[in-house]
Amino acid sequence: MDRTPGGQNSVPISVDRTKVLDVKPIRSLIPIFASSPNFSGAQGGPFASAPPSGPFPPGVSPFYPFFGSPDSQNAAYDNTPISNAVPINSFRTPNGDVAGSSRRGRKKAQPQEDSDEDMDPSDKKKKRRAKASRDINVDVDIDSVVNDILASFNLVEFDSDRRSEGNRESVSYVRLVFDLLRKKLCAIDELKGENPAAARRPDLKAGTILLHKGIRTNVKKRVGVVPGVEIGDIFFFRIEMCVVGIHAPSMAGIDYMSVRAGGQEDEPLAVSIVSSGGYEDNAEDEDVLIYSGQGGKDNADQKLERGNLALEKSLHRGNEVRVIRGLKDIANPSSKIYIYDGLYKIQESWIEKGKTGFGVFKYKLVRIPGQPPGWTTWKMVQQWKDGVTTRSGVILPDLTSGAENIPVSLVNDIDDEKGPAYFTYISNLKYSRPIKALEGSVGCFCHGGCMAVNPNCTCLQKNGGDMVYTANGIIITPRNLIHECGPSCQCPVNCRNRASQGGLRVRLEVFRTKDKGWGLRSWDFIRAGAFICEYAGEVVDESQAEDLWGENEDDYLFDTSRSYQPMEIMPGDYNEPPKVPFPMVISAKNVGNVARFMNHSCSPNVFWLPVSRQNDKECDLHIAFYAIKHIGPMTELTYNYGMVPPEKSNQRKKKCFCGSPKCRGYFY
């Protein structure tokens, strides 16, 4: 029975449901009912219904969008602001064929964009990104991008030998290709206006492309060591482990293979596991892992099948199992970091009730002795940070005396040396005299920060129209000169195109080495392409530099005229020397920063690039250091000192102690 709002004793009124019963004002639609002074409302009943197309009772006028326009209404009622109205789904055309209408036949209404005044800053930024992306015609051929990357690495044809049996070089190459391709795909998505934080999974796209093209290594499953993969290697994505052959499944935590013993049937044998914290994995001993089986996580007991059966068979056979441990990425809490921790053996298994009350298989794995440290290093450093244990051998808790936003400790647990020769710590480069800007340097006007979708950004144009860094400060595309925003730019200090200007971002320590004097390493892991530090010191002219060379102070000099060609590890443009606008020599003898302690290596994990910052008054050139690959905690940071020009070849050589298999035995 139809009811009116009058209560139980009210008289029922027949209502035509095809008409609009009630219209409530909303922000995007404000109906206006003009009433004459003598109008007192409908008197015939408790409810009056008027369709939007009329006819109307006395004193009621039509309203937009059914009749007239918003301009005409604004003219009649200047004191009532009316927004541009849009159709909403609750309105139905009374004169139309209601029975024949359907949602599928309707065209979706396009809502009006909110004004910037009504938005919070993050929404404004998203709106600008979306608008800018609509102004750019993004038509990217992914196959062409992939082929260009593969050609730059000379990996268009990755031969079958390297696919089936890898080595350190092939593993490094595949990982570099994967990382570069992943960042390229992410940059393309951003250029299309998509949110960088959205779950687009460019890692899966990049991994799938490489697998399809055969750019992978260690395809053949094996028990034990995987050629080219070393203990302590860091992975940020499961698919990355797949392309190098350390763990094949992109989702499952247990990898296994079928083996046959004698004339018996094939049986599964576990070859690797990933402990990522999804199950109740724990152990008090850092060399022991209590691993939970797979399946039955929510509402059933786990079954002795697939991976669980493979672990059980490995327990009886006693074969080695590779263990990859996972932990949360502090910089990105929604992601994980995976560390290869070496070979373990399963000692025992049992079943116990999990938190859900159902049976869970448990396996105790013990690390095989005599292997290099992996997971234990991460755990040790974390205990230093948490104050659980104290770092031994600390001479100074902060070598910088507060000049850096993160302390840099000075440590010696090798001998009785009390520290390096005295110098004044500075965090930036000092020019002895101003150097006029080489060209007109007009800064950008990106008040909200430089974005890839803004074609009018002058800093973007100087970098060839491409964004140099990802949102978290990782280099996207290799180049021999980086143009960053500077004093002439209007963008904020946290603009992504100022990645080398925020000071130190990882906890470093200067430590005493066994045979190379003082060195530099990090407590934190460093991601490939991440900024580490700049080379701070005094810029000296050529005549001063010659005097310093003669005084045998070359340990404290950085000379940009040296060639830097890490051909074995870098693609494309990195085979060319850095493009320095003018020769520059930096002396760090009297004033400098942590960069003065970085040693030479013939197989470095750090490289340098010149960075020009936009400054319309004077030249603002800096030398910045970036990670070549993922660097684990407590790994020494080294770069290639390069070769001197022929005219300086008479300078004496120094014996190299880098220990690399490709060590040339000397450096300048």
Side-chain angles (χ1 to χ4, degrees):
M1 175 182 291
D2 295 328
R3 294 185 178 181
T4 64
Q8 294 181 357
N9 297 327
S10 301
V11 179
I13 297 177
S14 178
V15 178
D16 185 355
R17 292 182 179 275
T18 66
K19 295 178 169 43
V20 176
L21 300 181
D22 190 14
V23 177
K24 296 181 179 180
I26 59 175
R27 188 164 65 88
S28 61
L29 179 60
I30 307 176
I32 301 298
F33 296 91
S35 301
S36 62
N38 298 326
F39 179 69
S40 59
Q43 306 296 326
F47 178 81
S49 173
S53 58
F56 301 95
V60 178
S61 63
F63 57 89
Y64 182 84
F66 299 100
F67 285 94
S69 67
D71 296 333
S72 63
Q73 291 220 11
N74 286 335
Y77 308 100
D78 293 335
N79 296 329
T80 306
I82 304 175
S83 63
N84 292 333
V86 296
I88 57 177
N89 290 337
S90 61
F91 285 96
R92 307 166 83 180
T93 306
N95 295 334
D97 185 5
V98 177
S101 65
S102 67
R103 289 186 179 271
R104 293 187 182 182
R106 295 188 194 135
K107 210 171 185 179
K108 252 187 178 178
Q110 298 297 324
Q112 190 80 9
E113 289 187 354
D114 295 332
S115 63
D116 286 348
E117 289 75 8
D118 297 331
M119 294 182 179
D120 60 39
S122 62
D123 290 336
K124 289 181 182 179
K125 192 172 183 180
K126 292 177 183 177
K127 178 182 174 182
R128 286 195 299 269
R129 184 189 294 117
K131 182 180 184 301
S133 66
R134 291 195 297 267
D135 297 336
I136 299 177
N137 182 18
V138 181
D139 185 14
V140 181
D141 184 357
I142 299 296
D143 286 337
S144 177
V145 171
V146 173
N147 291 333
D148 288 344
I149 293 175
L150 299 184
S152 68
F153 278 93
N154 296 321
L155 293 177
V156 176
E157 293 184 3
F158 207 61
D159 59 67
S160 58
D161 290 339
R162 284 191 288 181
R163 282 198 297 267
S164 60
E165 187 80 14
N167 53 34
R168 191 60 178 173
E169 183 179 27
S170 61
V171 168
S172 298
Y173 270 41
V174 170
R175 296 188 67 187
L176 282 170
V177 173
F178 168 82
D179 194 53
L180 181 58
L181 179 56
R182 181 191 61 82
K183 290 185 290 188
K184 276 285 191 181
L185 293 175
C186 193
I188 292 171
D189 286 340
E190 185 181 359
L191 193 60
K192 295 178 181 178
E194 299 182 27
N195 186 355
R200 297 183 309 273
R201 299 303 301 269
D203 57 306
L204 293 180
K205 294 180 184 177
T208 302
I209 290 172
L210 294 186
L211 293 174
H212 177 71
K213 290 185 173 290
I215 309 301
R216 58 185 304 189
T217 188
N218 295 314
V219 174
K220 183 180 178 181
K221 285 191 178 184
R222 70 198 71 209
V223 174
V225 175
V226 173
V229 180
E230 297 181 354
I231 294 174
D233 280 353
I234 304 170
F235 301 89
F236 288 89
F237 306 98
R238 295 268 192 121
I239 193 70
E240 187 181 6
M241 293 185 252
C242 179
V243 294
V244 299
I246 186 175
H247 188 81
S250 60
M251 296 293 291
I254 305 172
D255 189 12
Y256 56 93
M257 58 184 291
S258 296
V259 295
R260 176 175 296 181
Q264 299 179 359
E265 296 182 357
D266 291 353
E267 61 181 20
L269 205 64
V271 294
S272 64
I273 61 171
V274 176
S275 176
S276 59
Y279 292 86
E280 304 162 25
D281 302 336
N282 57 75
E284 295 181 0
D285 191 337
E286 56 195 17
D287 286 334
V288 175
L289 173 65
I290 306 301
Y291 186 79
S292 301
Q294 61 183 196
K297 190 173 181 181
D298 297 325
N299 55 5
D301 294 335
Q302 291 184 350
K303 298 180 179 179
L304 191 61
E305 60 184 12
R306 299 192 301 274
N308 296 337
L309 180 60
L311 289 173
E312 192 69 27
K313 295 293 185 181
S314 292
L315 167 63
H316 298 294
R317 287 208 177 203
N319 66 279
E320 301 165 334
V321 178
R322 297 185 296 273
V323 170
I324 301 102
R325 292 189 183 245
L327 70 158
K328 287 185 178 180
D329 184 354
I330 298 176
N332 187 7
S334 61
S335 302
K336 291 186 181 297
I337 306 170
Y338 300 97
I339 305 101
Y340 175 48
D341 197 34
L343 301 178
Y344 284 62
K345 284 191 175 183
I346 306 173
Q347 282 196 349
E348 58 179 307
S349 67
W350 65 94
I351 300 176
E352 66 179 44
K353 283 191 176 182
K355 292 180 179 179
T356 59
F358 294 96
V360 176
F361 285 101
K362 294 286 186 176
Y363 302 90
K364 180 180 179 181
L365 293 93
V366 179
R367 196 169 191 260
I368 298 175
Q371 301 179 89
W375 168 255
T376 55
T377 301
W378 290 71
K379 191 172 183 179
M380 176 184 65
V381 171
Q382 191 59 49
Q383 289 176 340
W384 295 345
K385 293 179 181 179
D386 297 339
V388 177
T389 59
T390 303
R391 174 76 169 102
S392 63
V394 175
I395 300 174
L396 285 175
D398 186 11
L399 179 69
T400 76
S401 300
E404 300 283 4
N405 53 5
I406 301 176
V408 178
S409 54
L410 178 66
V411 178
N412 183 0
D413 50 11
I414 299 296
D415 53 34
D416 296 329
E417 186 71 30
K418 297 302 180 182
Y422 177 80
F423 73 101
T424 301
Y425 194 100
I426 60 173
S427 57
N428 293 302
L429 195 62
K430 290 180 62 177
Y431 284 87
S432 56
R433 56 183 176 82
I435 300 177
K436 186 178 179 181
L438 299 179
E439 58 182 13
S441 181
V442 179
C444 69
F445 297 91
C446 307
H447 295 281
C450 298
M451 297 187 296
V453 294
N454 182 8
N456 299 319
C457 175
T458 55
C459 300
L460 206 69
Q461 294 169 0
K462 284 182 174 290
N463 287 312
D466 297 324
M467 208 69 194
V468 178
Y469 302 105
T470 64
N472 56 353
I474 305 297
I475 288 183
I476 299 174
T477 305
R479 58 190 66 243
N480 50 23
L481 174 62
I482 293 177
H483 293 274
E484 282 191 355
C485 299
S488 300
C489 298
Q490 302 298 316
C491 58
V493 293
N494 62 347
C495 172
R496 72 159 74 175
N497 200 38
R498 297 176 181 264
S500 71
Q501 303 172 38
L504 299 182
R505 299 183 181 181
V506 293
R507 177 73 183 269
L508 300 173
E509 77 168 24
V510 175
F511 72 105
R512 186 70 173 174
T513 67
K514 292 182 179 180
D515 46 20
K516 295 179 292 183
W518 298 95
L520 185 68
R521 60 189 175 194
S522 171
W523 286 19
D524 303 311
F525 74 89
I526 304 174
R527 199 159 184 164
F531 168 74
I532 299 173
C533 65
E534 73 169 277
Y535 199 100
E538 295 178 298
V539 177
V540 298
D541 57 36
E542 191 172 353
S543 60
Q544 287 178 291
E546 291 297 331
D547 294 338
L548 292 174
W549 286 119
E551 294 175 9
N552 193 28
E553 298 185 13
D554 46 328
D555 286 345
Y556 303 100
L557 286 179
F558 185 94
D559 187 357
T560 61
S561 66
R562 294 189 176 193
S563 58
Y564 177 71
Q565 298 178 341
M567 299 178 61
E568 67 186 61
I569 48 178
M570 289 295 181
D573 293 342
Y574 280 160
N575 286 332
E576 301 177 2
K579 184 181 179 182
V580 184
F582 58 89
M584 184 168 64
V585 179
I586 305 172
S587 172
K589 177 189 177 184
N590 299 318
V591 294
N593 68 340
V594 293
R596 74 197 294 270
F597 296 105
M598 265 196 285
N599 287 312
H600 164 83
S601 176
C602 300
S603 298
N605 52 18
V606 174
F607 68 100
W608 67 270
L609 285 177
V611 175
S612 177
R613 298 171 185 169
Q614 299 288 75
N615 193 331
D616 56 1
K617 296 181 180 179
E618 60 186 18
C619 180
D620 203 356
L621 185 67
H622 298 258
I623 302 300
F625 289 94
Y626 302 87
I628 292 175
K629 56 186 178 181
H630 303 325
I631 304 174
M634 305 306 288
T635 302
E636 184 178 3
L637 305 177
T638 59
Y639 72 99
N640 191 334
Y641 285 6
M643 304 296 290
V644 299
E647 61 270 19
K648 295 181 180 180
S649 59
N650 58 345
Q651 294 175 354
R652 71 181 182 86
K653 298 177 181 178
K654 289 190 175 183
K655 187 176 181 180
C656 182
F657 294 95
C658 70
S660 165
K662 297 187 177 182
C663 178
R664 62 175 179 255
Y666 65 91
F667 69 94
Y668 291 99

